[in-house]
Amino acid sequence: MQTLGRLAVLCLVFAPPVLSAPGAVRCGKLLDVRTGKLLADQTIVFDDRGSITSVGSNPTLPAGVTAIDLSGATCLPGLIDVHTHLTSDPSYNGYAGLGVSVPKEAITGAKNAARTLHAGFTTVRNVGAGNFTDVALRDGINEGGIPGPRMLVSGPAMGITGGHCDNNLLPFEFHYREDGVADGPWAARAKVRENIKYGADLIKVCASGGVLSKGDLPGAAQYTLEELVAIAEEAHKLGRKVAAHAHGTQSIKDAIRAGIDSIEHSSLIDDEGIALAKQHGTYLVFDIYNDDFILQEGAKAGMLPESIEKERNLGRYQRENFRHAFQSRAKIAYGTDSGVYPHGDNAKQFAKMVEWGMTPIDAIQAATINAADLLGWKDRVGVLEPDHYADIVAVTGDLLSDVKVLESPIFVMKGGQIVRQESGK
Ligand SMILES: [Zn+2]
């Protein structure tokens, strides 16, 4: 993304909020993400709540409305990233992260929310943030004071003592533990209740070890099946879905058997795991872009040498297993782990998914209809149809043959409000 383009957009992003009004967008082409067909000359009409009222080749426009002219571009629904960490930056990894205060984390979230929205991601699921900074960010965005995507947030990620979602950097005498640590089924249930009490829309749990944590093994199970069952049961009872971080083969299967809704990373999934995911309807999320960033930039960003070594061992398996799971027709949603790499580059994963076996429309479906289904928001985002938000991205070029055009949208709208409009287009 060009620096100048980013600056131009930031000006738009930080412009005073515009009062909602009905409007329309005329698209040279519109991608029907359900069928993969490009429809010619379509106009999207929306009301003063930013909700689509009609889509067609010659719809009646409300009085006084002139359609925004995107007749040289292709429109598609606002994109969805189901695995973000908006309140974190790559430089917060390793020991440098210990110096980040709660207010700094919140401010970081505001900065990254704007970047993410500007990149065409109008909805995100944020899976892990300290001190409920993600709840504050979501609420600030919903109140209209901060530009950013629609957010579903988890609050602190749950994990075992010493596991991936604990913080293991300091010696014993500091007695430091992360907010989401809970051991045993009843402590885990209590933590689910606490996260929901303070505003979580979903529960994030670390089932296996991870890459960017100290002293644990990505392939090793951390939560037991009994604990995962307790977490899933408690969350579902309280009307929340659960996302499980799981690289390891056993943890992936345990999480699926426990009834968890999505497996994050999914790196070492085997045939049985894929079959179980299909049987249970579990979504798989493979963050296959950020490997490149960790290997190339991780050391400079302060990531631990052991983390970079873990990534080197794991990345290739994850990409091969992504291809295998997709070819086996498992359900896949688009999640990138932004925050591990710089926010705003979320669309770079599309090309990676195509490189590893998807067609462009498969990858776009993962970031629209599939992601909306996983979020439980099929009724409001993921398609450009009546009664859904006017969340619109437009690109030039042929996105069904070159998915990289999604890395530089010329137009982004969220709920009927323009976020980004490149001049001269
Ligand atoms: Zn993550």
Side-chain angles (χ1 to χ4, degrees):
M1 204 172 300
Q2 320 288 300
T3 312
L4 272 179
R6 183 168 275 175
L7 280 177
V9 172
L10 285 178
C11 295
L12 280 168
V13 165
F14 292 117
V18 186
L19 289 175
S20 292
V25 177
R26 184 180 169 201
C27 308
K29 289 176 186 162
L30 186 147
L31 177 64
D32 179 339
V33 291
R34 294 187 197 276
T35 62
K37 291 209 172 82
L38 285 168
L39 310 174
D41 194 18
Q42 297 287 301
T43 298
I44 304 160
V45 185
F46 52 87
D47 63 19
D48 58 3
R49 294 172 297 118
S51 183
I52 297 172
T53 52
S54 65
V55 182
S57 54
N58 204 4
T60 313
L61 299 186
V65 167
T66 308
I68 296 163
D69 183 13
L70 298 177
S71 50
T74 301
C75 297
L76 68 159
L79 302 167
I80 304 169
D81 189 334
V82 304
H83 191 130
T84 66
H85 299 279
L86 293 186
T87 65
S88 187
D89 270 338
S91 59
Y92 291 6
N93 282 293
Y95 281 90
L98 295 172
V100 180
S101 67
V102 177
K104 180 71 192 301
E105 190 179 337
I107 289 169
T108 300
K111 175 194 68 172
N112 291 331
R115 286 187 180 173
T116 303
L117 180 60
H118 163 226
F121 286 78
T122 50
T123 301
V124 303
R125 188 181 66 158
N126 206 73
V127 284
N131 290 280
F132 296 94
T133 44
D134 52 353
V135 169
L137 183 60
R138 175 200 65 195
D139 293 350
I141 292 168
N142 289 345
E143 287 160 10
I146 298 170
R150 306 179 194 287
M151 289 183 78
L152 283 161
V153 305
S154 72
M158 292 180 57
I160 66 162
T161 297
H164 175 61
C165 286
D166 197 356
N167 187 319
N168 312 319
L169 294 167
L170 294 171
F172 173 74
E173 62 266 33
F174 287 87
H175 302 287
Y176 184 67
R177 66 191 300 190
E178 277 293 350
D179 301 329
V181 170
D183 295 303
W186 279 105
R189 280 183 192 266
K191 187 59 75 175
V192 169
R193 294 168 185 173
E194 183 180 278
N195 280 356
I196 293 171
K197 170 179 174 174
Y198 292 110
D201 299 303
L202 74 141
I203 297 299
K204 163 78 180 294
V205 53
C206 290
S208 82
V211 171
L212 298 177
S213 41
K214 183 168 175 246
D216 67 339
L217 303 168
Q222 293 193 344
Y223 268 129
T224 64
L225 177 60
E226 188 188 9
E227 288 167 315
L228 293 171
V229 167
I231 291 165
E233 219 179 78
E234 192 65 32
H236 290 160
K237 176 166 68 69
L238 298 172
R240 305 305 199 275
K241 293 195 178 195
V242 186
H245 158 111
H247 289 287
T249 313
Q250 187 58 47
S251 291
I252 291 168
K253 291 187 243 192
D254 286 349
I256 296 170
R257 287 195 173 105
I260 281 170
D261 304 275
S262 69
I263 305 300
E264 310 299 307
H265 311 297
S266 314
S267 307
L268 301 175
I269 194 166
D270 63 5
D271 282 336
E272 190 189 15
I274 292 170
L276 277 170
K278 289 174 69 175
Q279 185 191 331
H280 287 253
T282 316
Y283 271 98
L284 303 178
V285 178
F286 293 84
D287 51 329
I288 58 170
Y289 161 67
N290 67 53
D291 314 30
D292 291 353
F293 180 85
I294 294 173
L295 295 181
Q296 285 157 25
E297 306 290 332
K300 272 179 263 168
M303 292 175 189
L304 303 173
E306 74 167 76
S307 293
I308 294 164
E309 194 50 40
K310 286 192 232 179
E311 184 61 49
R312 199 167 281 127
N313 293 330
L314 208 58
R316 178 95 199 170
Y317 287 117
Q318 190 192 32
R319 290 172 177 188
E320 284 170 358
N321 288 333
F322 161 76
R323 181 169 55 198
H324 184 44
F326 167 67
Q327 287 171 349
S328 307
R329 309 313 299 170
K331 294 201 292 185
I332 292 175
Y334 190 98
T336 66
D337 218 355
S338 66
V340 167
Y341 69 89
H343 296 272
D345 286 351
N346 310 57
K348 287 189 174 178
Q349 190 170 282
F350 284 109
K352 233 358 125 183
M353 291 165 97
V354 170
E355 185 187 328
W356 286 88
M358 279 186 163
T359 63
I361 186 63
D362 295 321
I364 292 166
Q365 285 175 339
T368 52
I369 44 177
N370 288 9
D373 184 35
L374 169 57
L375 267 46
W377 276 7
K378 265 197 308 189
D379 59 342
R380 63 196 80 176
V381 297
V383 291
L384 292 172
E385 294 173 6
D387 298 322
H388 289 67
Y389 287 119
D391 292 353
I392 304 168
V393 170
V395 296
T396 51
D398 181 3
L399 87 168
L400 292 183
S401 63
D402 179 14
V403 80
K404 271 181 173 285
V405 298
L406 290 168
E407 293 172 21
S408 44
I410 60 152
F411 178 86
V412 178
M413 170 174 273
K414 179 191 163 198
Q417 298 208 1
I418 297 172
V419 174
R420 172 177 190 162
Q421 188 168 22
E422 305 283 314
S423 55
K425 300 282 169 60

